[in-house]
Amino acid sequence: MATDLISRDPDAWKNHIVWAGPHRQYSIEQPAVETHRDRVEPWLSALLQAEHLNLLVGSGLPAAIAKSAEVPAADMSLAPLGSDFADAVNEAARTAAQNSGRDKANIEYQIRSAAELIGGLKILARAAELGRGGRRLPKSAKRLLAAWEQELDRILVNLLKQILATERHIAEVMADKDEEDRADRTRRLIAGFLLPFASRAVTRDRLHVFTTNYDRLIEYGCDLLGLRMLDRFVGNLAPVFRSSRLGVDFHYSPPGIQGEPHFLEGVVRFTKLHGSLDWRSVLGPSGSPEVQRCALPFGAPDDHPGIPTDARERLLIYPNPAKDVETLEYPYAELFRDLAAAACRPNSVLVTYGYGFGDDHINRVLRDMLSLPSTHLVIISYDDAGDRLRRFYATTGREEQITLLVGSHFGDLSTLVDAYLPQPAIDRTTWRMAELLSRRGAATGNGEGAALDDGIRDDSDSV
C-alpha cells in the first residue's frame, strides 16, 4: 500500500517520506527526530560502509550552507536581455525547461538558448562573407552575432560574479570573529556533512564525490577539514586536466617499518560534472587547447584578473542539462565516464543530496546502476523537485534498492547532520567496544545499559 501510494500519488511527495530498509513511513505532519533516528541512522551507517561509496551533490548543498550562514545565494532566475530576438531566446529557454520536467526556466536554460542562437548566427555570417546566402540571407547576421556574443559574455560574467559573491560571503562569515556563532554553525554543517562519507577505512575504496555545481564549496570544506582530493588535474602552477584514469592515490611509509606503503586516511576522489568557475580553456605548450584550473581564490572580488571578459570562449561551465551534447565534448565526456565507472559496478552505494533529478544524462547512469541487484541509491531531498523525483522513482521499478528521505524535515541540512548521518569516527576501536559490550550483556543476561555498567566496573576493577 505504501509503495503504491508514493509511486503514483504526486501529493504524497509534497510531505515527508522515509523509506529506509524495513522502516517505511509517510507523514503529512512534521516528523519527530525521536521517531526515526534509531532506525535511519543505523541504516545509513551500514550503507556508508559499502565496498564502493559515491556522493552526488546538487545545488541544494550551497543553498543550505548559505541559509545557515545567513548570506544570499546566487540568483539563478532569468537575466534581462537587451538584444534583438530576446523574447525568442527566453521562449526557447522555457520550452527546454518544460521538456526537462521543470516548471520554469532559469538562467542556465537561457544561456544554452543564447549559445544556440550564436551558433546559428555564425553560420549565417560566414555564408554572407562567402556570398552564398542570396536574398534570403539576413544582412544583419554579422551585427546580431557581435551583439549576442557580447550579451552572452555579460550574462556569464554576471553569473560568475554572483556565485563568487556567495563564496565571499561564506568566507567572510567564517573569518568574522564577531559572528562566532554563525561561523561555528556553518563550519559544523560543512564538517558534519562531509566527514561521515569521507571517514572510511583505508582498506575500502575511496569515497568519490560528484557535483553538478560550479562553486568551490566542497573544495573549501575539504580544505577546512584537511581532506586530500584526487581529481584529473595534474600540475602545480597551472594544473591541467588529464584524460588518463590511472589509479593514483596517496600512500605513506610508516617510520621504522619495511614493506609495502600504507594508504593515507582522509582522501577522496572528486569530479565536477558540469565544470567549475576556475576552469579555463587555453592553448597549451603544444599549441592545442587544454583545460587548466586557474588561480581564482575562493570568493574572489569582482575586479580579480582571473575573471575572464570573454567568458563564452574561456569559461568552462556547462550551464544547461537539457541536452546531451556536453557528454560528447571534452572534458565532459571524461567526467561522465568517471560517473558511470564509479556508480555502475557491484556493491556500490550512491547518495544524492540537493540533486533535483533534472539531468537526463545523470538519471540514465543512475538507472543503469540500479540494474545491478547489489547496488543501492540513497535520495535525500528537501522536496519532490517539481515532481521529477517521483517520476524517477516510479519509472525505475527498483524500490528495494532505493532509500528515500524526502521532505523539509529530512532535507534540512542541520537536522540531517545532527540526527541522521552517522558519526564520522566509526573506527575499529568503536566497533570492538560495541562487540565487547554486546558479549558482556549476552553473558550476564543484562540489557545494554547493564552491560555498559558492568564493563565500566570490570575495567575499573582490573585497574
Side-chain angles (χ1 to χ4, degrees), residues 115-332:
E116 290 177 341
L117 176 60
I118 289 175
L121 290 174
K122 284 182 178 180
I123 297 175
L124 294 179
R126 181 57 179 167
E129 292 178 358
L130 299 176
R132 299 176 181 175
R135 295 181 179 179
R136 295 177 296 174
L137 186 65
K139 297 180 179 179
S140 60
K142 189 173 183 179
R143 175 185 62 82
L144 288 172
L145 175 60
W148 273 103
E149 286 178 341
Q150 294 179 1
E151 190 82 10
L152 183 56
D153 282 336
R154 180 185 63 82
I155 296 174
L156 287 172
V157 170
N158 287 341
L159 176 62
L160 177 61
K161 290 180 178 180
Q162 287 187 38
I163 300 176
L164 285 174
T166 301
E167 293 183 352
R168 185 163 58 251
H169 292 320
I170 293 176
E172 291 172 352
V173 168
M174 301 286 282
D176 191 353
K177 295 183 179 179
D178 297 331
E179 296 287 347
E180 293 184 1
D181 291 340
R182 281 201 299 166
D184 291 342
R185 183 172 65 250
T186 304
R187 188 180 297 108
R188 178 181 59 82
L189 288 182
I190 296 177
F193 180 78
L194 292 177
L195 281 180
F197 298 96
S199 298
R200 289 169 55 81
V202 294
T203 55
R204 291 188 173 93
D205 190 26
R206 301 294 195 184
L207 167 71
H208 201 145
V209 181
F210 298 90
T211 180
T212 57
N213 302 332
Y214 320 128
D215 59 75
R216 282 84 52 82
L217 184 60
I218 295 179
E219 296 96 308
Y220 181 72
C222 288
D223 288 348
L224 286 177
L225 300 172
L227 299 177
R228 293 171 173 84
M229 306 184 72
L230 293 171
D231 53 19
R232 285 178 173 266
F233 286 88
V234 178
N236 293 317
L237 295 178
V240 178
F241 184 88
R242 299 297 185 187
S243 298
S244 59
R245 293 188 68 249
L246 301 176
V248 179
D249 211 320
F250 285 100
H251 302 74
Y252 74 98
S253 298
I257 299 178
Q258 295 182 354
E260 297 183 358
H262 294 198
F263 282 102
L264 188 66
E265 295 181 352
V267 178
V268 299
R269 300 188 182 276
F270 186 55
T271 299
K272 306 192 77 169
L273 296 172
H274 286 169
S276 181
L277 297 182
D278 53 4
W279 291 12
R280 301 289 183 266
S281 177
V282 300
L283 290 179
S286 63
S288 59
E290 65 181 19
V291 179
Q292 288 186 2
R293 186 171 59 219
C294 70
L296 186 65
F298 185 79
D302 291 346
D303 58 351
H304 193 276
I307 299 178
T309 55
D310 53 343
R312 58 185 169 80
E313 297 292 341
R314 299 185 58 198
L315 181 62
L316 278 179
I317 63 173
Y318 191 86
N320 183 5
K323 294 183 180 294
D324 285 344
V325 66
E326 81 277 13
T327 60
L328 305 177
E329 296 178 353
Y330 185 82
Y332 302 105

Side-chain angles (χ1 to χ4, degrees), residues 40-50 196 199-204 265 421-440 448:
V40 174
E41 191 272 339
W43 177 257
L44 293 180
S45 297
L47 290 176
L48 265 55
Q49 295 303 313
S199 298
R200 289 169 55 81
V202 294
T203 55
R204 291 188 173 93
E265 295 181 352
L421 287 183
Q423 295 296 320
I426 300 180
D427 53 8
R428 292 184 178 180
T429 303
T430 306
W431 288 114
R432 288 174 178 173
M433 182 188 71
E435 293 174 359
L436 177 63
L437 297 179
S438 177
R439 288 198 299 268
R440 288 176 176 173
E448 182 179 354

